Amino acid sequence: MGSHRNALVEAVRHELAEARGTARAVLAAAESARAEAQRHRRLVRDAYATCLNQLAEARDAARDAIERRYRHEANALAGNAGSLAALCAPGAAGSSWRMWSPTEPDRGTHPGLLRIGTIAFEHTTMPALVPLLDAAHLHVSGDDRIAVDGVISGVLLRALGTTRPGDVRLTVYDPERLGGTLAAFAPLGLTFVGPGGLGPMLDELVEHICRVNESVLGGEFGSLAELTAATVGPRPEPWRVVVLLFDGEITAAQRAQLDRILRVGVACGVHLIIRGLAADGAERIVVRDGIGAADTTGDLSIRLDPPPPADRVAAFCRATAERLRAGPPPARLADLEPPRLWRESSARGLVAPIGDGPDGALIEVPLGDDPPHALIGGPSGSGKTNLIYAWLGSLCARYDPGELALYLLDFKEGVSFARFTPGSRDDSWLPHVRLAGINVNNDREFGLALLRHLGDELRTRAQAAKRHEATKLAELRAEDPDGHWPRIVAVIDEFQVLLGGRDAVADEAVTLLEDLARRGRSQGIHLVLASQDVSGIEALWGRSGLIGQFTLRIALPKARRILAENNLAAAVIPRFHAVVNTESGAAGANQIVRLPDASDRVSWRTLQRRLWRAKPAGCQPPRLFDGDAVPSLPSFAQAATQGSSPGAVLGERIDVAARPARLRLGRMPGRNLAVLGTRVDEACDILASAALSLAAQGPAHFSVVCTLPEAQHAAARLIAELPEAAWYDESDLAQLFEVVPDDIPHYVLGYALDAVPGHKDRLRRLLADGPSARTHVLGWWRSVPRLRDDLGGPGARLDAIGAWVALDVHGADLGPLCPVPGGPVWYPRPRRALFFDRSVHRVPEVIVPYEVNSDPT
């Protein structure tokens, strides 16, 4: 029994030991789990704290980024808004009163917004702008009438200060103070309407709107602003701004008229500024405690500008009234330019403005089939050159060089047309100019050359027109892809110089002018003749066939004989004006034009350089003929001639192409040259240019004879430039006449051959027989009698001299050498010579000797 109890105790003890072991294991596991849980809790807490810190940092960073972006975008928005405000309200429309001054708008611009105060935004301020002209009516209300009236005064002053005088007509209805509220604007001639005048005023405005709708807009344009934008010049109707200052009631009829004006007045240029009276559809401005709000600015508060200073309003109104009495200012040269260059076609004619009329509208001058040609007249100092500048500048801005070609000739002493050609100070030129002649008062032959060139052009065009009719456009299109020739405008200033005198030049000039005037219109050639002398105009009146073609007349102040006898308009117009008449000067067809200052070099250079930079590829500078300039000898390549016989270049021909005058030296009898006259420098230049041009054409022998001391320096310079030239003086002249021909041209250059002693018989044989052996004499004799004496005396024949150049020799003395009975009509003048080659010429021609022997040292 004891053993059983012991076994039981032992079993219990064993189980208790196992239970205690299990409990200790469970406790250890629980302790471990608790420690792990605590560790995990600590990790979670640390992670949570870290997350909170990171979120806070991210939040702060995002908040800072948002604030920076907000400030950046707000500043950019404020800057853009400020820039936009400056564009929408430039000058007087948006400047503060301290800096305010009127700013007249440029032609073609439209009114913008008007400032009434400023808006504070962040750290910047922007102008608060409201619309008015061509945009809206205004309704101003508030608890402070003085502040409300100040807003109205400011809006009116800004509107008037940004428009031209007379563009705004102001009417004020003020039954309580009888216009005293806006009395400072009285000098402008505004209309005040008192008690009882509201109804008639509204009725008159409605009638005005109806008239504008019917007669001005005509249903084609939606508003007067659209019509103004589509036209050139000032508005066809001024704006009408009506200020209604009253707080009472109006009748139903007045309300109906007011509502009509509110609905359609803006489109017709009628604008209301209303204080106190309800006005649906108007831009609202509300004033409370010095702060304003407007429909345009929304919820933004406006710090209103103070009323404009009374002295500034009065000064502005007085100045504007003076300008109104003086009339509109003249157009500027820039005002004559179109919005875009070279957009017009000259196929049907030329039309361009030259100035503006009394109402400020540009006056256009036509040239085409009718009228085909123009006559300009005005005494010295009346602005004739300025008028021509304005006309040419306006034409060249509208028509490209393929549509218009200009030929300009000035017979007075001056350089009026030199500015159209490249110069030392300005390398630009007018791309339309083909030819400019200046200082040609002593070179009537150049005017004749121009008329001949135009006559050739006329015949070329007429023949092309016939081919066009025969070939159904094919050949003409090949010659002119645009389908028409460029129109030619030839301007001849002081043209009476060309027609003056009873000689062959005047007779041929009249014949050519009559032909060009009669037939030129059909071929696109137009003449513009100008004169400051009444005798010049009278030179045409005796030629009815010529004067009848000049139906476009432009008369400057005090011009005579340009207009019809009963048309006295030119006698009463002021300076800087002109009368444009397209009906041959008939009374009743006058247009009075105020001319711009086109003579201003800065304005003209600005236009010319724009045209020059836009010139088409291949456009060549114009040919400039300056009567006071001495041409230089062309390069040898240019001097060389084509053909079987060598050609000696003697000078420059007076023609459009600036061609050299050449003398062919073949084997025919008489192929010798005599230079006649006592002008040493010019005679030496002619011999030198002949020799140098001959030397450039191939192998040749040159023999130089000079016994005159005054010419030895020039002869020595020529010897230095001629290869293998021989020099002969008095001691060895006999050898000169014994030169054996070797089939190489031999040229004997004689300086003052009349001074060579002896050997007259040998000289005559050389002149007679030399050309057949290719030996030619190019000699200088100081007079015709001395030449005759060297050739055998008074009865001697002069056949050995086939060509001559006369310097200071009168025409009557040249009779023995010229087929013209009594000698040619020739009056010597410096740097001009008369050239005759009996194998080419029927009558002598005038040439300009080249400058060869000038010594810059």
Side-chain angles (χ1 to χ4, degrees), residues 704-739:
V704 179
V705 181
C706 182
T707 60
L708 186 69
E710 294 91 332
Q712 286 182 352
H713 179 67
R717 289 188 56 170
L718 179 61
I719 284 286
E721 295 188 47
L722 290 176
E724 301 180 0
W727 176 277
Y728 295 88
D729 54 22
E730 296 181 13
S731 62
D732 51 8
L733 281 178
Q735 301 177 16
L736 170 66
F737 301 107
E738 295 175 359
V739 175

Side-chain angles (χ1 to χ4, degrees), residues 554-814:
I554 303 179
L556 292 155
K558 306 299 184 292
R560 298 168 55 193
R561 304 284 285 171
I562 289 287
L563 306 176
E565 292 185 3
N566 62 342
N567 191 345
L568 306 179
V572 298
I573 59 174
R575 249 186 114 188
F576 310 118
H577 287 68
V579 180
V580 176
N581 190 300
T582 58
E583 300 293 337
S584 299
N590 296 333
Q591 287 183 294
I592 308 301
V593 182
R594 189 192 307 236
L595 302 173
D597 183 10
S599 300
D600 178 64
R601 284 197 171 272
V602 175
S603 300
W604 180 265
R605 188 174 299 172
T606 301
L607 172 61
Q608 178 164 297
R609 292 195 73 86
R610 284 183 60 203
L611 299 175
W612 179 64
R613 285 191 292 267
K615 66 183 182 297
C619 186
Q620 297 296 319
R623 146 90 157 129
L624 174 64
F625 178 84
D626 185 352
D628 289 348
V630 180
S632 299
L633 181 67
S635 67
F636 292 150
Q638 292 174 312
T641 59
Q642 297 179 354
S644 58
S645 300
V649 172
L650 307 179
E652 182 177 282
R653 300 179 64 186
I654 298 182
D655 63 6
V656 171
R659 295 171 296 173
R662 294 187 175 97
L663 171 64
R664 293 286 185 181
L665 296 175
R667 294 176 180 267
M668 299 78 70
R671 292 291 83 195
N672 302 299
L673 172 70
V675 180
L676 305 170
T678 61
R679 296 203 288 257
V680 178
D681 291 341
E682 295 177 26
C684 292
D685 280 345
I686 292 174
L687 291 179
S689 64
L692 292 173
S693 60
L694 289 169
Q697 299 174 54
H701 298 307
F702 290 93
S703 299
V704 179
V705 181
C706 182
T707 60
L708 186 69
E710 294 91 332
Q712 286 182 352
H713 179 67
R717 289 188 56 170
L718 179 61
I719 284 286
E721 295 188 47
L722 290 176
E724 301 180 0
W727 176 277
Y728 295 88
D729 54 22
E730 296 181 13
S731 62
D732 51 8
L733 281 178
Q735 301 177 16
L736 170 66
F737 301 107
E738 295 175 359
V739 175
V740 178
D742 58 0
D743 205 36
I744 295 178
H746 180 203
Y747 304 107
V748 178
L749 305 175
Y751 288 79
L753 285 177
D754 52 86
V756 175
H759 306 287
K760 301 298 182 183
D761 293 337
R762 293 184 177 183
L763 177 60
R764 285 194 289 270
R765 286 197 300 273
L766 182 63
L767 288 170
D769 303 333
S772 60
R774 304 194 71 179
T775 299
H776 309 275
V777 175
L778 288 77
W780 165 33
W781 285 266
R782 285 170 289 181
S783 68
V784 175
R786 292 190 181 192
L787 171 65
R788 182 186 288 273
D789 183 63
D790 284 353
L791 294 183
R797 294 176 61 84
L798 304 180
D799 295 342
I801 302 299
W804 48 265
V805 176
L807 298 172
D808 55 344
V809 180
H810 287 276
D813 297 335
L814 297 169

Side-chain angles (χ1 to χ4, degrees), residues 124 179 261 336 505 536 707 732:
T124 63
I261 298 171
L336 305 185
V505 173
T707 60
D732 51 8

Side-chain angles (χ1 to χ4, degrees), residues 6-52:
N6 289 336
L8 181 62
V9 170
E10 187 64 29
V12 171
R13 186 177 290 146
H14 178 73
E15 290 179 357
L16 287 174
E18 288 182 354
R20 282 197 301 268
T22 301
R24 282 195 295 270
V26 171
L27 177 61
E31 289 291 338
S32 177
R34 184 173 72 87
E36 180 64 26
Q38 289 177 344
R39 188 183 67 80
H40 182 68
R41 184 183 67 175
R42 286 194 301 271
L43 290 175
V44 169
R45 283 181 176 179
D46 293 342
Y48 175 69
T50 302
C51 183
L52 287 180

Side-chain angles (χ1 to χ4, degrees), residues 8-351:
L8 181 62
V9 170
E10 187 64 29
V12 171
R13 186 177 290 146
H14 178 73
E15 290 179 357
L16 287 174
E18 288 182 354
R20 282 197 301 268
T22 301
R24 282 195 295 270
V26 171
L27 177 61
E31 289 291 338
S32 177
R34 184 173 72 87
E36 180 64 26
Q38 289 177 344
R39 188 183 67 80
H40 182 68
R41 184 183 67 175
R42 286 194 301 271
L43 290 175
V44 169
R45 283 181 176 179
D46 293 342
Y48 175 69
T50 302
C51 183
L52 287 180
N53 292 334
Q54 290 177 346
L55 288 174
E57 291 175 359
R59 178 196 62 192
D60 294 341
R63 180 182 297 167
D64 292 342
I66 291 171
E67 290 178 352
R68 286 195 302 270
R69 187 168 64 251
Y70 169 76
R71 286 193 298 269
H72 174 73
E73 292 181 356
N75 291 334
L77 179 61
N80 293 338
S83 301
L84 182 60
L87 293 175
C88 294
S95 59
S96 63
W97 295 129
R98 184 173 61 86
M99 305 293 296
W100 190 89
S101 63
T103 53
E104 186 169 314
D106 294 331
R107 187 181 297 271
T109 59
H110 304 290
L113 304 178
L114 306 174
R115 167 174 162 165
I116 61 172
T118 57
I119 298 172
F121 181 76
E122 291 298 321
H123 301 292
T124 63
T125 59
M126 296 177 295
L129 308 177
V130 295
L132 181 61
L133 300 179
D134 284 339
H137 306 285
L138 294 183
H139 179 269
V140 188
S141 62
D143 53 3
D144 186 348
R145 177 170 293 186
I146 295 177
V148 170
D149 291 346
V151 172
I152 294 175
S153 298
V155 168
L156 289 178
L157 183 59
R158 293 187 187 279
L160 293 168
T162 53
T163 56
R164 296 180 182 84
D167 279 358
V168 176
R169 293 178 56 183
L170 185 58
T171 302
V172 177
Y173 174 69
D174 189 7
E176 296 181 5
R177 299 187 59 184
L178 301 179
T181 303
L182 302 175
F185 294 91
L188 294 178
L190 70 163
T191 303
F192 286 107
V193 178
L198 178 61
M201 180 190 70
L202 296 175
D203 293 340
E204 192 275 332
L205 288 176
V206 171
E207 292 177 1
H208 170 75
I209 291 171
C210 294
R211 182 182 62 80
V212 170
N213 270 323
E214 294 176 1
S215 61
V216 178
L217 301 182
E220 183 177 354
F221 296 94
S223 68
L224 201 58
E226 293 181 11
L227 174 60
T228 303
T231 57
V232 177
R235 290 174 57 85
E237 288 283 340
W239 288 286
R240 289 197 175 192
V241 176
V242 181
V243 183
L244 301 177
L245 302 176
F246 107 114
D247 300 322
E249 297 294 331
I250 60 176
T251 65
Q254 292 171 348
R255 169 55 69 179
Q257 296 289 65
L258 183 63
D259 290 341
R260 291 190 183 96
I261 298 171
L262 288 170
R263 285 196 306 270
V264 298
V266 171
C268 298
V270 177
H271 301 275
L272 302 178
I273 300 178
I274 304 172
R275 186 195 69 190
L277 196 64
D280 295 335
E283 173 78 12
R284 293 176 298 171
I285 302 174
V286 181
V287 180
R288 289 190 178 90
D289 299 327
I291 302 299
D295 290 344
T296 304
T297 58
D299 296 333
L300 298 175
S301 297
I302 302 171
R303 181 180 177 183
L304 296 173
D305 287 336
D311 58 342
R312 183 159 296 179
V313 176
F316 166 76
C317 292
R318 286 195 299 269
T320 303
E322 288 293 332
R323 292 184 60 187
L324 279 171
R325 285 190 289 270
R332 302 169 301 171
L333 180 61
D335 293 335
L336 305 185
E337 301 175 24
R340 301 180 66 183
L341 297 177
W342 297 350
R343 295 295 173 180
E344 302 295 330
S345 170
S346 64
R348 298 186 180 276
L350 302 169
V351 178

Side-chain angles (χ1 to χ4, degrees), residues 451-467:
L451 296 181
R452 290 169 178 166
H453 175 78
L454 295 178
D456 294 340
E457 181 71 18
L458 177 64
R459 287 186 289 274
T460 299
R461 295 187 175 195
Q463 292 170 1
K466 291 181 180 179
R467 292 200 306 272

